[in-house]
Amino acid sequence: MALKRFRMHIRIPRGWEISDREATPEHLVFGRRAALKALGAGSILATGALPAAAQQAGAAPPLRDGIARNEAYPGVRAITAEREATTYNNFYEFGTDKGIFRAAQRMPLRPWTVKVDGLVDTPKEFGIDDLLARMPLEERVYRLRCVEAWGMTVPWIGFPLSALLKEVGVRSDAKFVRFETAALRDVMPGLRQSWYPWPYIEACTVAEAGNDLSFMVVGAYGKPLPQQNGGPLRIHQPWKYGFKAGKSLVRISLVAERPKTFWEAIQPSEYGFWANVNPEVSHPRWSQASERLIGSGERVPTQIFNGYGEWVAPLYMGLQRERLWA
Ligand SMILES: Nc1nc2c(c(=O)[nH]1)N[C@H]1C(S)=C(S)[C@@H](COP(=O)(O)O)O[C@H]1N2
Ligand SMILES: [Mo]
């Protein structure tokens, strides 16, 4: 089925168009200060005027035409409204509340490069547009299940992680894949919260990375992936809790040792390395038996491996002694 094309509707407000009301939340104030400091323009702060240069993000060009939906992995649930999926987000670099989408618009999506290095035959650095041109783009409707017991269903656009790894050649001594998120001090106010172990690191095994469900996401709802959802490039492994899905990636490294991941470093008793979805294994502070659907608010039963067991359960044979369930 051909994917319907949309025109992009990314409109970046100029500084003078931001009302006081919008500019009040602390995360925006931090962001403004950081941007102004970077420009050496502290005196402008008093007037509330923000130079246009500090606001303008490098926009992503539209995705190519004719991206088809891969129907191999049925979404099952109704697709979450685009507005909901792009305004209810977790992206701590921009703040700890769900409404960071406005603050996230400050992050330029171009230019953008991603390094693929470590235990590979040929380490490479890709410009995002070269990567988009090279990779086999397709649409997949995947569910996303946050460890906080909410879920959504999104038509993502992207390519299998295995296609990217083929470009560099994974060496046999590589055991894990480490995903590193951008850490842009000037536009990410959350980085000032120095008690968090920035940058945001996530990881999986080479075997998990090679599973066809492991998807590098570059778009959603027919458009380039917006900042708040992890544009221009994020990983999504839909059988795992959402915190495994590192956003706005700048570096992907093949390594021999299991990396210490962001949430595991903060609270290992609550957020483990494997973090596979399981309704029967509660979070220490709440049940995982059901989840709230963003948008409708409906509560539905959670499925083991978020419903993707048919494709991923074999990955965990022989690993029963590991703490597989978050
Ligand atoms: N860099 C980074 N990636 C991140 C996060 C984050 O705070 N920073 N939050 C994670 C969590 S907890 C979830 S549930 C998903 C949310 O993705 P969404 O906002 O596209 O729904 O992103 C994940 N990726
Ligand atoms: Mo999450």
Side-chain angles (χ1 to χ4, degrees), residues 85 88-93 144 146 150 152 156 181 200 228-229 234 242-243 245-247 263:
Y88 185 94
N89 304 98
N90 271 335
F91 202 160
Y92 274 31
E93 285 85 338
L144 182 150
C146 176
W150 53 261
M152 49 174 87
W156 306 104
T181 293
Y200 195 101
Q228 62 271 32
N229 292 100
R234 62 98 64 91
F243 68 85
K247 290 177 165 180
W263 282 106

mmCIF file of all heavy atoms in Angstrom, residues 85 88-93 144 146 150 152 156 181 200 228-229 234 242-243 245-247 263, ligand 1:
data_model
loop_
_atom_site.group_PDB
_atom_site.id
_atom_site.type_symbol
_atom_site.label_atom_id
_atom_site.label_comp_id
_atom_site.label_asym_id
_atom_site.label_seq_id
_atom_site.Cartn_x
_atom_site.Cartn_y
_atom_site.Cartn_z
ATOM 1 N N ALA A 85 0.543 11.698 19.599
ATOM 2 C CA ALA A 85 1.871 11.050 19.613
ATOM 3 C C ALA A 85 3.001 12.065 19.535
ATOM 4 O O ALA A 85 4.127 11.773 19.923
ATOM 5 C CB ALA A 85 1.983 10.062 18.455
ATOM 6 N N TYR A 88 2.852 14.270 23.446
ATOM 7 C CA TYR A 88 2.949 13.558 24.727
ATOM 8 C C TYR A 88 4.213 12.710 24.634
ATOM 9 O O TYR A 88 4.210 11.648 23.990
ATOM 10 C CB TYR A 88 1.708 12.682 24.932
ATOM 11 C CG TYR A 88 1.642 12.001 26.283
ATOM 12 C CD1 TYR A 88 0.947 12.586 27.341
ATOM 13 C CD2 TYR A 88 2.275 10.773 26.512
ATOM 14 C CE1 TYR A 88 0.883 11.959 28.583
ATOM 15 C CE2 TYR A 88 2.213 10.147 27.747
ATOM 16 C CZ TYR A 88 1.512 10.742 28.776
ATOM 17 O OH TYR A 88 1.449 10.123 30.007
ATOM 18 N N ASN A 89 5.297 13.209 25.171
ATOM 19 C CA ASN A 89 6.590 12.569 24.927
ATOM 20 C C ASN A 89 7.445 12.461 26.175
ATOM 21 O O ASN A 89 7.309 13.261 27.091
ATOM 22 C CB ASN A 89 7.383 13.375 23.873
ATOM 23 C CG ASN A 89 6.621 13.541 22.588
ATOM 24 O OD1 ASN A 89 5.991 14.567 22.359
ATOM 25 N ND2 ASN A 89 6.648 12.525 21.748
ATOM 26 N N ASN A 90 8.336 11.506 26.150
ATOM 27 C CA ASN A 90 9.413 11.433 27.133
ATOM 28 C C ASN A 90 10.711 11.762 26.413
ATOM 29 O O ASN A 90 11.088 11.060 25.463
ATOM 30 C CB ASN A 90 9.516 10.021 27.731
ATOM 31 C CG ASN A 90 8.633 9.847 28.946
ATOM 32 O OD1 ASN A 90 8.300 10.813 29.626
ATOM 33 N ND2 ASN A 90 8.252 8.611 29.232
ATOM 34 N N PHE A 91 11.366 12.819 26.835
ATOM 35 C CA PHE A 91 12.655 13.209 26.233
ATOM 36 C C PHE A 91 13.317 14.128 27.252
ATOM 37 O O PHE A 91 13.207 15.348 27.187
ATOM 38 C CB PHE A 91 12.436 13.912 24.881
ATOM 39 C CG PHE A 91 13.614 13.899 23.939
ATOM 40 C CD1 PHE A 91 13.419 14.109 22.580
ATOM 41 C CD2 PHE A 91 14.910 13.681 24.387
ATOM 42 C CE1 PHE A 91 14.482 14.099 21.674
ATOM 43 C CE2 PHE A 91 15.983 13.661 23.495
ATOM 44 C CZ PHE A 91 15.760 13.878 22.133
ATOM 45 N N TYR A 92 13.968 13.488 28.238
ATOM 46 C CA TYR A 92 14.438 14.207 29.423
ATOM 47 C C TYR A 92 15.469 15.292 29.113
ATOM 48 O O TYR A 92 15.650 16.218 29.913
ATOM 49 C CB TYR A 92 14.997 13.213 30.447
ATOM 50 C CG TYR A 92 13.941 12.640 31.364
ATOM 51 C CD1 TYR A 92 12.631 12.454 30.930
ATOM 52 C CD2 TYR A 92 14.246 12.279 32.671
ATOM 53 C CE1 TYR A 92 11.667 11.933 31.766
ATOM 54 C CE2 TYR A 92 13.279 11.758 33.522
ATOM 55 C CZ TYR A 92 12.000 11.594 33.060
ATOM 56 O OH TYR A 92 11.038 11.070 33.901
ATOM 57 N N GLU A 93 16.124 15.196 27.969
ATOM 58 C CA GLU A 93 17.068 16.248 27.601
ATOM 59 C C GLU A 93 16.365 17.606 27.499
ATOM 60 O O GLU A 93 16.984 18.654 27.637
ATOM 61 C CB GLU A 93 17.734 15.918 26.257
ATOM 62 C CG GLU A 93 18.789 14.818 26.323
ATOM 63 C CD GLU A 93 18.196 13.411 26.222
ATOM 64 O OE1 GLU A 93 16.989 13.226 26.515
ATOM 65 O OE2 GLU A 93 18.955 12.490 25.868
ATOM 66 N N LEU A 144 4.103 1.194 20.895
ATOM 67 C CA LEU A 144 5.156 1.633 21.817
ATOM 68 C C LEU A 144 4.584 1.530 23.217
ATOM 69 O O LEU A 144 3.494 2.040 23.483
ATOM 70 C CB LEU A 144 5.577 3.076 21.493
ATOM 71 C CG LEU A 144 6.707 3.682 22.349
ATOM 72 C CD1 LEU A 144 7.491 4.699 21.539
ATOM 73 C CD2 LEU A 144 6.188 4.344 23.608
ATOM 74 N N CYS A 146 5.425 2.302 27.097
ATOM 75 C CA CYS A 146 6.305 2.919 28.088
ATOM 76 C C CYS A 146 6.218 2.139 29.392
ATOM 77 O O CYS A 146 5.146 1.621 29.754
ATOM 78 C CB CYS A 146 5.920 4.372 28.316
ATOM 79 S SG CYS A 146 6.892 5.179 29.611
ATOM 80 N N TRP A 150 1.736 3.267 29.852
ATOM 81 C CA TRP A 150 0.908 3.824 28.776
ATOM 82 C C TRP A 150 1.449 3.312 27.441
ATOM 83 O O TRP A 150 2.591 2.852 27.356
ATOM 84 C CB TRP A 150 0.840 5.349 28.817
ATOM 85 C CG TRP A 150 2.147 6.097 28.850
ATOM 86 C CD1 TRP A 150 2.764 6.617 29.946
ATOM 87 C CD2 TRP A 150 2.991 6.428 27.729
ATOM 88 N NE1 TRP A 150 3.947 7.229 29.586
ATOM 89 C CE2 TRP A 150 4.103 7.139 28.239
ATOM 90 C CE3 TRP A 150 2.923 6.206 26.352
ATOM 91 C CZ2 TRP A 150 5.139 7.619 27.420
ATOM 92 C CZ3 TRP A 150 3.960 6.674 25.542
ATOM 93 C CH2 TRP A 150 5.043 7.378 26.073
ATOM 94 N N MET A 152 1.076 3.637 22.857
ATOM 95 C CA MET A 152 0.521 4.244 21.654
ATOM 96 C C MET A 152 0.888 3.382 20.455
ATOM 97 O O MET A 152 1.701 2.455 20.564
ATOM 98 C CB MET A 152 0.972 5.692 21.495
ATOM 99 C CG MET A 152 2.434 5.975 21.639
ATOM 100 S SD MET A 152 2.810 7.709 21.242
ATOM 101 C CE MET A 152 2.557 8.522 22.797
ATOM 102 N N TRP A 156 5.444 4.392 11.968
ATOM 103 C CA TRP A 156 6.820 4.883 11.869
ATOM 104 C C TRP A 156 7.330 4.656 10.456
ATOM 105 O O TRP A 156 6.892 3.722 9.767
ATOM 106 C CB TRP A 156 7.731 4.124 12.823
ATOM 107 C CG TRP A 156 7.329 4.068 14.257
ATOM 108 C CD1 TRP A 156 6.783 2.998 14.919
ATOM 109 C CD2 TRP A 156 7.445 5.118 15.243
ATOM 110 N NE1 TRP A 156 6.564 3.327 16.244
ATOM 111 C CE2 TRP A 156 6.956 4.608 16.467
ATOM 112 C CE3 TRP A 156 7.922 6.428 15.197
ATOM 113 C CZ2 TRP A 156 6.929 5.368 17.641
ATOM 114 C CZ3 TRP A 156 7.896 7.168 16.358
ATOM 115 C CH2 TRP A 156 7.403 6.658 17.560
ATOM 116 N N THR A 181 22.755 9.230 22.346
ATOM 117 C CA THR A 181 21.896 10.354 21.959
ATOM 118 C C THR A 181 22.702 11.653 21.907
ATOM 119 O O THR A 181 23.675 11.800 22.650
ATOM 120 C CB THR A 181 20.785 10.481 23.032
ATOM 121 O OG1 THR A 181 19.941 9.344 22.960
ATOM 122 C CG2 THR A 181 19.952 11.732 22.848
ATOM 123 N N TYR A 200 22.340 10.304 27.140
ATOM 124 C CA TYR A 200 21.408 9.178 27.224
ATOM 125 C C TYR A 200 21.979 8.019 26.402
ATOM 126 O O TYR A 200 22.168 8.136 25.195
ATOM 127 C CB TYR A 200 20.060 9.607 26.662
ATOM 128 C CG TYR A 200 18.883 8.698 26.993
ATOM 129 C CD1 TYR A 200 17.998 9.052 27.995
ATOM 130 C CD2 TYR A 200 18.639 7.527 26.270
ATOM 131 C CE1 TYR A 200 16.898 8.251 28.288
ATOM 132 C CE2 TYR A 200 17.542 6.727 26.559
ATOM 133 C CZ TYR A 200 16.678 7.093 27.566
ATOM 134 O OH TYR A 200 15.590 6.310 27.849
ATOM 135 N N GLN A 228 10.734 16.022 18.942
ATOM 136 C CA GLN A 228 10.232 15.477 20.208
ATOM 137 C C GLN A 228 10.131 13.950 20.190
ATOM 138 O O GLN A 228 10.162 13.307 21.230
ATOM 139 C CB GLN A 228 8.880 16.109 20.580
ATOM 140 C CG GLN A 228 7.746 15.876 19.602
ATOM 141 C CD GLN A 228 7.662 16.919 18.509
ATOM 142 O OE1 GLN A 228 8.666 17.475 18.071
ATOM 143 N NE2 GLN A 228 6.446 17.205 18.061
ATOM 144 N N ASN A 229 10.001 13.363 19.001
ATOM 145 C CA ASN A 229 9.951 11.896 18.904
ATOM 146 C C ASN A 229 11.330 11.293 18.621
ATOM 147 O O ASN A 229 11.441 10.084 18.396
ATOM 148 C CB ASN A 229 8.966 11.459 17.822
ATOM 149 C CG ASN A 229 7.528 11.775 18.184
ATOM 150 O OD1 ASN A 229 6.974 12.772 17.719
ATOM 151 N ND2 ASN A 229 6.918 10.972 19.044
ATOM 152 N N ARG A 234 16.058 7.632 15.449
ATOM 153 C CA ARG A 234 15.993 6.954 16.753
ATOM 154 C C ARG A 234 15.801 5.457 16.518
ATOM 155 O O ARG A 234 15.448 5.033 15.417
ATOM 156 C CB ARG A 234 14.875 7.542 17.624
ATOM 157 C CG ARG A 234 13.453 7.422 17.107
ATOM 158 C CD ARG A 234 12.627 6.289 17.659
ATOM 159 N NE ARG A 234 12.325 6.280 19.066
ATOM 160 C CZ ARG A 234 11.245 6.828 19.632
ATOM 161 N NH1 ARG A 234 10.383 7.501 18.890
ATOM 162 N NH2 ARG A 234 11.004 6.689 20.901
ATOM 163 N N GLY A 242 9.698 1.448 26.364
ATOM 164 C CA GLY A 242 10.086 2.598 25.547
ATOM 165 C C GLY A 242 11.411 3.227 25.927
ATOM 166 O O GLY A 242 12.060 3.844 25.069
ATOM 167 N N PHE A 243 11.844 3.089 27.169
ATOM 168 C CA PHE A 243 13.096 3.758 27.545
ATOM 169 C C PHE A 243 14.307 3.174 26.827
ATOM 170 O O PHE A 243 15.371 3.789 26.787
ATOM 171 C CB PHE A 243 13.288 3.801 29.074
ATOM 172 C CG PHE A 243 13.529 2.474 29.761
ATOM 173 C CD1 PHE A 243 14.808 1.930 29.834
ATOM 174 C CD2 PHE A 243 12.482 1.794 30.378
ATOM 175 C CE1 PHE A 243 15.032 0.723 30.500
ATOM 176 C CE2 PHE A 243 12.700 0.589 31.046
ATOM 177 C CZ PHE A 243 13.971 0.055 31.103
ATOM 178 N N ALA A 245 14.425 2.938 23.713
ATOM 179 C CA ALA A 245 14.391 3.521 22.364
ATOM 180 C C ALA A 245 15.100 4.872 22.330
ATOM 181 O O ALA A 245 14.473 5.933 22.323
ATOM 182 C CB ALA A 245 12.940 3.662 21.901
ATOM 183 N N GLY A 246 16.416 4.844 22.329
ATOM 184 C CA GLY A 246 17.218 6.076 22.332
ATOM 185 C C GLY A 246 16.857 6.985 21.167
ATOM 186 O O GLY A 246 16.708 6.533 20.035
ATOM 187 N N LYS A 247 16.710 8.272 21.489
ATOM 188 C CA LYS A 247 16.279 9.265 20.490
ATOM 189 C C LYS A 247 17.449 10.083 19.947
ATOM 190 O O LYS A 247 18.485 10.192 20.605
ATOM 191 C CB LYS A 247 15.287 10.233 21.139
ATOM 192 C CG LYS A 247 13.952 9.587 21.464
ATOM 193 C CD LYS A 247 13.029 10.565 22.159
ATOM 194 C CE LYS A 247 11.599 10.039 22.149
ATOM 195 N NZ LYS A 247 10.685 10.969 22.825
ATOM 196 N N TRP A 263 19.012 4.601 32.272
ATOM 197 C CA TRP A 263 18.078 4.318 33.362
ATOM 198 C C TRP A 263 18.608 3.270 34.322
ATOM 199 O O TRP A 263 18.323 3.290 35.513
ATOM 200 C CB TRP A 263 16.695 3.933 32.816
ATOM 201 C CG TRP A 263 15.969 5.160 32.393
ATOM 202 C CD1 TRP A 263 15.738 5.577 31.121
ATOM 203 C CD2 TRP A 263 15.427 6.157 33.258
ATOM 204 N NE1 TRP A 263 15.088 6.774 31.141
ATOM 205 C CE2 TRP A 263 14.878 7.156 32.438
ATOM 206 C CE3 TRP A 263 15.363 6.306 34.639
ATOM 207 C CZ2 TRP A 263 14.260 8.295 32.952
ATOM 208 C CZ3 TRP A 263 14.755 7.441 35.160
ATOM 209 C CH2 TRP A 263 14.207 8.416 34.316
HETATM 210 N N1 LIG B 1 17.435 10.520 24.384
HETATM 211 C C1 LIG B 1 16.320 10.082 24.966
HETATM 212 N N2 LIG B 1 15.656 9.053 24.398
HETATM 213 C C2 LIG B 1 14.516 8.599 24.982
HETATM 214 C C3 LIG B 1 14.017 9.164 26.178
HETATM 215 C C4 LIG B 1 14.739 10.252 26.742
HETATM 216 O O1 LIG B 1 14.377 10.821 27.786
HETATM 217 N N3 LIG B 1 15.874 10.690 26.100
HETATM 218 N N4 LIG B 1 12.865 8.656 26.755
HETATM 219 C C5 LIG B 1 12.513 7.268 26.399
HETATM 220 C C6 LIG B 1 11.196 6.869 26.882
HETATM 221 S S1 LIG B 1 11.050 6.621 28.566
HETATM 222 C C7 LIG B 1 10.147 6.603 26.035
HETATM 223 S S2 LIG B 1 8.688 5.967 26.603
HETATM 224 C C8 LIG B 1 10.263 6.907 24.591
HETATM 225 C C9 LIG B 1 9.115 7.815 24.199
HETATM 226 O O2 LIG B 1 9.088 8.009 22.817
HETATM 227 P P1 LIG B 1 7.982 8.974 22.184
HETATM 228 O O3 LIG B 1 8.119 10.311 22.882
HETATM 229 O O4 LIG B 1 8.312 9.039 20.735
HETATM 230 O O5 LIG B 1 6.661 8.354 22.467
HETATM 231 O O6 LIG B 1 11.502 7.538 24.260
HETATM 232 C C10 LIG B 1 12.627 7.005 24.908
HETATM 233 N N5 LIG B 1 13.840 7.579 24.359
#
